Amino acid sequence: MSRARQPPLVTGISPNEGIPWTKVTIRGENLGTGPTDLLGLTICGHNCLLTAEWMSASKIVCRVGQAKNDKGDIIVTTKSGGKGTSTVSFKLLKPEKIGILDQSAVWVDEMNYYDMRTDRNKGIPPLSLRPANPLGIEIDKGRFPQKDLESLFPGMSADFTSENFSAAWYLIENHSTTSFDQLKTAVVNLKKQANKKNEGSLAYVKGGLSTFFEAQDALSAIHQKLEADGTEKVEGSMTQKLENVLNRASNTADTLFQEVLGRKDKADSTRNALNVLQRFKFLFNLPLNIERNIQKGDYDVVINDYEKAKSLFGKTEVQVFKKYYAEVETRIEALRELLLDKLLETPSTLHDQKRYIRYLSDLHAPGDPAWQCIGAQHQWILQLMHNCKESYVKEQKGSALLHSPMLDLDSDVRPSPIGHLSQTASLKRGSSFQAGRDDAWRYKAPQQVVFVEKLTKLVVSQLPNFWKLWVSYVNGSLFSETAEKSGQMERSKKNARQRQNDFKKMIQEVMHSLVKLIRGALLPFSLREGELRQYGGWEMKSELSGQWLTQVIQTVRLSSESLTALEIPNDMLQIIQDLILDLRVRCIIVTLQHTAEDIKRLAEKEDWIVDNEGLTSLPSQFEQCIIRSLQSLKTVLDCKPGEASVFQQQKTQEDVCQLSIGIMQGFIDCLEQLSTKPDGDIDTSHLSVDVSSPDLFGSIHEESSLSSEQRLLIALSNCRYLERHTFLNIAEHFEKHGFQGVDKITQVTIESLKELDQRLFEMYIEFKADPIVGSLEPGIYAGYFDWKDCLVPTGVRNYLKEALVNIIAVHAEVFTISKDLVPRVMSRVVEAVSEELSRLMQCVSSFSKNGALQAKLEICALRDTVAIYLTPESKSSFKQALEVLPQLSSGTDRKLLEELLNKFKSSMHLQLTCFQASSSAMMKT
């Protein structure tokens, strides 16, 4: 069982004071559930229920009656809540009498004046009233309080037209300070007015004297006739004669008054007709008024007049009323058709749509105009979208553009941040590879980009009104209070609930069209063949760059945020999120592909300018290119609210990983291409070396071209820097931007880089070590030298000195390019030389004493000279070579060996400086 409603509570009244019949608005709580629930309404003790109009549970409008109390509460009584209370009160003011000659800011209604001649109240027009100043002297209002006068003259009134008129009250109120002479003048004026009344009555009698005389003559004739007939006949035929006399009198009266009575009947007939026309002029003038108001657009006036006529004459049986009411219905039907045409007309504002729907609802138009309007708006939005596509496709296919695409956008089409970076980012080494790119692309937007921006703007501008129209249709706010009272609002809500699925399909159709039109322009491969014919048609000469795709993604994101703000269910907008995800994936793929192409062109930017670390600008250019590419993808990779990660699909992860590996591998191939190019293919006219680099021999400084060995060294130096710094920095940027499989990318690329490094290193060693190794054997046996038959050693022979000079030349070349490569290269060269020397020693069948001493001298001289670059392999080779030689048995031989070694080191001290210990660390091969 439901809980009883709270009693009514009045919390406000406006205005809070006034004269009787003042219209007031009462506000409060629990003022009833409807007009039938309102049982009573009293203001200052007077029942005002007759004039009460219930508006809502918190608002009632009524008029204040003739209450006895001058101040009191407002009490509302309802069937559901009982008798209520009030927190406010109303003050009743007494109306001030206004004469016919008094100025007033408001219209004064006719009042009931007391007619002394008929002893009854009679409504007479104001012009027949007595003057406002009956005494004819100046009125001087006194200062006596009204309440004191009322208590002094109870039940009386100072109004001289009232039946309770009190002359004393009137004199006190209006002439309390008037002099006695003036009062005498007032008496004279009253006498004159009385004489005028008497003269008016006498004139009225004089005007009817002829009628009295005629009546007197008729009576005299009757009397004489009776006397002539004699008294004897009177008794017998008195009745008959009297009848004859009456008949003759009647005939005489008819003759006398026939014309007067005829005119009176005609006047009465005319008066009655005029009264009817005056009384029902609303209906008779209504057809013409409807036409005029329709032309002026005052549809509210037409509807109100129609509702009034329908309530008064809708069921009339009077033929003339039927005729005019039928004419009214004809014009109203034409108005319904006019309003429906305006409602379905496009484009139109939401305000106009609601207004026309309310008009049609109040006119009880057949069908459901609101739903018809929703359907028309839906079709119009779809047509606008397809027309937009057709216009841009036609413009794209045209031979010349009618106008710049930039003019179609209300906002500037801004280039991607990568364009700005390409112009402002300064490379740590060398110049930007973007310097030669044409800047014209920044000022011209592709047709597809302009189309997407225009299309989304169209949908965002039209769909909110479409959605709000549906919301108003669902909650019934399209209809007026009249429709609410008639139950039409409830029927509309019921229809809306039944059509929710239909409207959902409309929204989905708009969303699908929006997404497919964008896909047709940017992602045609994602549509089926049939859809491509309907939503495509673009000439795809070249795919959009990542910069423009980024801008498109931003545009679609803003559109999605605008639609989400309308509180459209997320399931209807999911298709837009899917589109954004596909665009983000495509943007990443395209950007990485374009980055790979830019990386391949880096070979053209190599300037071969070496810094003090042995590096060119190429590694830095490569790293900057990757960083710019990732920075341009930052907004694409970041997930907005409601968006999924771009790497949530395994296929996307794999594609991005392979593209990233391809970019790194492309740069590795670029390095290999540069290092293995023939001399003629390399422009080294601008070759220079950092002034801070030691240049012992000036070999590179004086060369006009770069040798292949030098290119190999520069490439090796770059590879070393890439492995230790660049690739690791790039991996950090990949992880920072959320890339998946970074470990795999790093592992694969470093392995490939190491393979290239090893190939280049082997090539350089082959170029440098093979000539030195090849010169050892001819140098040893020059002049038919024989280990079995040789003289006492006098020093290190020239072949070894030449080998050392060649090794020193290699050291100088490597040191000039990169100090860090010296240990690695020198160790490998020493290994090759020591291995060859060990082989040659092992090939000797026998040594004489002097031959063994000579061989040991040369082996020890070479070993001690390159001791800093010895590796376990080279140490082993030297050990094997020494083990082959016979041992020196005498101290003289050992002393001689030591002296000759010291002599060699002393004589070649300058040349052997490069082999002295330094801070450089040994590199393991």
Side-chain angles (χ1 to χ4, degrees), residues 763-805:
M763 290 176 62
Y764 183 78
I765 295 300
E766 184 179 350
F767 282 139
K768 293 299 182 180
D770 285 359
I772 298 175
V773 171
S775 65
L776 289 179
E777 186 172 0
I780 290 176
Y781 296 105
Y784 303 102
F785 180 80
D786 187 3
W787 296 107
K788 298 177 183 178
D789 184 13
C790 59
L791 300 176
V792 176
T794 57
V796 176
R797 291 185 291 168
N798 290 335
Y799 84 91
L800 188 59
K801 294 179 180 179
E802 292 177 0
L804 285 173
V805 169

Side-chain angles (χ1 to χ4, degrees), residues 796-845:
V796 176
R797 291 185 291 168
N798 290 335
Y799 84 91
L800 188 59
K801 294 179 180 179
E802 292 177 0
L804 285 173
V805 169
N806 290 334
I807 294 174
I808 291 171
V810 173
H811 181 281
E813 183 179 62
V814 176
F815 188 86
T816 304
I817 300 298
S818 174
K819 297 186 290 292
D820 295 335
L821 287 177
V822 170
R824 182 185 179 191
V825 174
M826 295 301 296
S827 298
R828 186 62 181 274
V829 172
V830 170
E831 284 181 6
V833 172
S834 63
E835 184 180 355
E836 178 64 15
L837 190 60
S838 175
R839 184 187 68 81
L840 292 175
M841 295 297 105
Q842 291 177 6
C843 292
V844 178
S845 58

Side-chain angles (χ1 to χ4, degrees), residues 47 84 102 145 169 188 190 281 594 655 686 736 759 859 882:
N47 189 0
D102 293 340
W169 188 346
V188 174
L190 286 177
K281 65 179 180 180
H594 289 178
D655 292 343
H686 55 283
K736 178 181 177 181
R759 289 197 302 271
I859 292 173
L882 291 174

Side-chain angles (χ1 to χ4, degrees), residues 871-895:
T871 64
E873 289 79 3
S874 57
K875 289 180 180 179
S876 176
S877 297
F878 279 119
K879 182 179 179 181
Q880 292 175 3
L882 291 174
E883 288 176 352
V884 173
L885 301 178
Q887 297 295 325
L888 298 179
S889 57
S890 64
T892 305
D893 294 338
R894 288 194 291 271
K895 184 177 180 181

Side-chain angles (χ1 to χ4, degrees), residues 185-237:
T185 305
V187 173
V188 174
N189 292 336
L190 286 177
K191 289 180 179 180
K192 290 181 180 180
Q193 293 179 16
N195 293 334
K196 288 182 180 180
K197 289 182 180 180
N198 294 332
E199 292 175 357
S201 301
L202 183 59
Y204 178 78
V205 174
K206 289 180 179 179
L209 283 178
S210 60
T211 305
F212 292 123
F213 289 154
E214 291 177 359
Q216 181 66 29
D217 292 342
L219 293 176
S220 297
I222 294 172
H223 180 72
Q224 293 175 0
K225 184 65 175 174
L226 291 175
E227 289 180 351
D229 289 342
T231 56
E232 65 279 2
K233 297 179 181 180
V234 173
E235 294 178 359
S237 60

